[in-house]
Structures are given as C-alpha cells and as structure tokens.
Amino acid sequence: MKTLLTKSPRKAAAYIKRSELVAFPTETVYGLGANVYDEKAIEKIFKFKKRPSDNPLIVHISNRQQIEILSESVPPIAKKLISRFFPGPLTIILKKNEIIPDTVTAGLDTIAIRMPSSKIARKFIEECGLPIAAPSANLSGSPSPTTYRHVLEDFKGKIPCILIGPEAKYGLESTVVDCTSGIPAVLRPGVVTLEQLRKVDRRIKLKKGGKLKSPGHSYRHYAPKAKVILSSPKPSPHMKETMTAYMGISAPRNKKTFSLVKQCSNAEDYAKNLFSFFRECDRKGIKIIYAQKVPEKGIGLAIMNRLRKASAR
Ligand code: TXA
Ligand code: MG
C-alpha cells in the first residue's frame, strides 16, 4: 500500500470516511485515527499497532458539543476541567454512551475524551464530521511519534495516509484523569501537571497501585530497542540549575562506538525530546541509553513515569 503524505485535512478526512486509518499531528504526539463508530476501522487500529484489545482508545473531538454525544453524564468536576483545559493536553474519563462501540473502550463502560489544542488536528476532526478514536501512532510498546517521520518508521506502506503537521509541541502524551468516581484521579501523568489540576480541585490525586484503571499502562512501554538505564541527576558545570536535565548515551565497549548526547535546558525541553531521542538511538543501533532522572514535580512526574516504563525489563 502506498502511504500518502498530505498537508490537507480535507484529503486526510476522505480516508476516514472510507473506513481507513489516518495518522495526524496533535500538540502531544501523533495519533492513529479512525471513525469512532466504525468497528471495522477500530479493529484495524488494534491490529496494525499490535495493541492488546484490553487497552482502550482516546476519542478526539473538535468541539465541546461532541462530549454530549459520547457521554450523558458530565459531573461538575469534569465540567470545570473541561472549561479550564479543553482544548489541550488533558484527557478525561466519563461514563460512556451506548452508541460507542465496545471495541473503542475495550469493553469498559467509560470513555476517554480529549480535544486537542493543535489547530490542524481540530481542523482534521472537523472535516471528518465525527469524533476520532486514536491511540498514539506508534507500534504498541515503542516510543510515541513526535514527527510524521516517526509515524513513517512504524507504518510506511501499512496505512494509506499521514496528515503532515509540525513537530509535536510537547512531545509527551496527555494527562488522563478519571472523573467517574467522586474525587478525580490521574491515571496517567502527562503534559497537564498535577499542580495545574489541583488549582481546579485540591483533592485530585495520583492513582497509584491497586487495580489499574488504565489497563494498557501496566507493561513495558514507550521503550526503544536500546536498554534504558536511569542515572542520578548530576548537574554538570555547564548547567546553572539542578533542575536541568540531560540525556547521555554510551555504546558497549570493544565495539565500534557511537556516542550521542542530548542536553536539555529544562524539564519541558527534556519531555519534548525524550521519544525522538529514543528513536534516534534505535536508528543508530545504540545499545544503552543513560537517561537522567528528574525531580517528580511539574512535567517531571510524566517524564519519570515514561522513563520507568521504558527501563522496565
Ligand atoms: O496525548 C495523547 O493522549 C495521545 C494523542 C494522540 O492524543 N494519545 C495517546 O493514546 O497517548 P494512547 O492510546 O497511546 O493512550 C491512551 C491511554 C492508555 O493508557 C489507555 O489505557 C487510557 O488512555 N484510556 C483510554 N480509555 C480509557 C478508559 N475508558 N479508562 C481508563 N483509561 C483509559
Ligand atoms: Mg501510546
């Protein structure tokens, strides 16, 4: 299959109408989208990504009215989060409406909803005329794509269309917040920080241990082929603040040695470069990545969450 690269949201949307998959840019990472009501297309997402069927998808919308189609019950706290963070890198979990196929939500009675702030993403969803179910556009387990080239690495010749947009602004996924059971809980830390969420409601907690409510989030994930080793924060003489993060890398001794270092000016820069750095290492055949730990505050919480999953064996 030929993979069309287009900058036209309208051309890309035509594929969705034909039950095909389209990869599209967002401000977090690229998504692999399908018509939310089209079970055949949804099944293709799971098949192409090699994604376990128990891992539900996020449904992307282009306007707030679409929330009512997806869920009948929007509790007051969800309304507050929506008015503060939509459009943007926040995903909320609500009770789902019956019209939504079970394949989308992996059999759960809840649904994940996100309205991207990326203009081209919203234009694309608008052209489709319906909500778009989309996981990140990478093979299951591998680093999420932050440019269309990363999507090509995983899906060239396998999907018919990639909507080309800019490099992802944040480079890390959205924050997933469960709003279905009283006090909201963060199921996956992401770009919107816990500190920002707590300004809306002080009680918002980070979900730890217990029964995982974001099923696909439990195994090794976001991982390059290289082994990822977490190293302690060691501020280098060049860096003024201890918050400064860098990623260092080394290849095994006695072999032709590659060396690649990505030095980042702050945690946001680290987040933005993390996945693309992983992919660059894989392209160069690098075997070991040393990734510096960062304090678990602000976006640092999401960075450490991804690093732990990437380094799990
Ligand atoms: O930034 C993002 O969120 C990107 C872009 C494309 O929007 N999407 C993304 O999707 O990261 P994905 O499929 O890679 O991750 C979705 C996460 C998974 O951890 C999944 O388990 C969780 O959201 N999730 C989806 N529906 C859920 C539900 N009903 N209940 C709990 N967790 C859910
Ligand atoms: Mg993903």
Side-chain angles (χ1 to χ4, degrees):
M1 174 189 287
K2 193 179 170 329
T3 302
L4 175 83
L5 304 179
T6 179
K7 288 185 178 169
S8 159
R10 192 177 45 80
K11 277 189 188 151
Y15 285 89
I16 294 287
K17 291 170 187 165
R18 279 185 252 141
S19 293
E20 299 283 2
L21 306 188
V22 172
F24 64 100
T26 84
E27 71 278 18
T28 57
V29 300
Y30 273 66
L32 183 62
N35 171 352
V36 70
Y37 305 116
D38 187 338
E39 292 209 54
K40 282 227 169 67
I42 300 295
E43 276 164 21
K44 275 191 218 167
I45 292 183
F46 286 92
K47 191 172 147 210
F48 289 13
K49 264 188 72 98
K50 300 194 172 73
R51 181 178 178 104
S53 57
D54 67 353
N55 191 1
L57 308 178
I58 295 175
V59 181
H60 296 69
I61 57 174
S62 56
N63 63 67
R64 288 182 178 77
Q65 286 74 49
Q66 287 174 319
I67 298 169
E68 288 158 36
I69 309 169
L70 304 172
S71 174
E72 267 157 29
S73 56
V74 186
I77 179 61
K79 286 193 177 133
K80 276 194 192 172
L81 292 174
I82 289 164
S83 76
R84 170 69 183 81
F85 295 108
F86 277 30
L90 182 76
T91 296
I92 56 165
I93 309 287
L94 298 175
K95 286 267 177 261
K96 92 172 177 87
N97 270 352
E98 272 181 21
I99 40 158
I100 307 305
D102 284 337
T103 35
V104 172
T105 61
L108 298 176
D109 62 356
T110 56
I111 185 164
I113 306 173
R114 171 163 125 73
M115 180 171 161
S117 59
S118 155
K119 289 218 171 74
I120 182 162
R122 285 218 305 282
K123 181 81 185 126
F124 165 64
I125 302 164
E126 204 180 293
E127 290 283 355
C128 294
L130 36 78
I132 295 296
S136 48
N138 54 297
L139 290 168
S140 191
S142 72
S144 300
T146 60
T147 68
Y148 78 87
R149 286 193 183 83
H150 297 159
V151 180
L152 276 174
E153 280 171 10
D154 287 11
F155 293 113
K156 188 173 180 184
K158 300 213 172 82
I159 58 171
C161 180
I162 300 176
L163 177 59
I164 296 180
E167 182 184 354
K169 180 177 172 194
Y170 298 113
L172 211 66
E173 297 85 352
S174 65
T175 306
V176 179
V177 181
D178 180 14
C179 296
T180 62
S181 45
I183 301 168
V186 173
L187 306 183
R188 176 179 74 180
V191 174
V192 170
T193 66
L194 194 56
E195 293 86 343
Q196 285 174 310
L197 291 168
R198 282 184 177 154
K199 280 189 186 148
V200 175
D201 187 331
R202 279 188 306 140
R203 303 168 304 162
I204 297 181
K205 289 194 185 71
L206 186 64
K207 175 95 181 171
K208 275 190 182 156
K211 190 173 170 286
L212 267 170
K213 285 187 89 182
S214 267
H217 209 54
S218 46
Y219 34 78
R220 186 167 189 259
H221 227 105
Y222 312 112
K225 293 188 187 81
K227 182 175 181 185
V228 177
I229 298 174
L230 305 189
S231 62
S232 34
K234 238 191 294 153
S236 94
H238 313 291
M239 300 177 200
K240 291 192 185 78
E241 314 161 46
T242 49
M243 190 53 208
T244 304
Y246 74 91
M247 300 173 71
I249 183 164
S250 82
R253 271 180 222 132
N254 306 329
K255 284 195 178 170
K256 208 175 150 193
T257 307
F258 297 101
S259 171
L260 200 60
V261 178
K262 178 81 201 171
Q263 208 161 304
C264 305
S265 50
N266 53 41
E268 284 71 24
D269 192 33
Y270 195 161
K272 183 171 176 166
N273 285 289
L274 185 68
F275 291 141
S276 72
F277 187 80
F278 281 176
R279 281 181 180 265
E280 190 182 349
C281 291
D282 280 349
R283 281 198 301 276
K284 297 194 166 138
I286 281 163
K287 298 281 183 282
I288 303 177
I289 297 171
Y290 290 97
Q292 197 179 33
K293 291 190 224 167
V294 290
E296 293 187 63
K297 59 180 186 194
I299 189 98
L301 188 66
I303 293 174
M304 286 306 297
N305 170 274
R306 306 304 189 269
L307 285 179
R308 289 207 181 91
K309 290 197 166 31
S311 64
R313 283 283 155 180

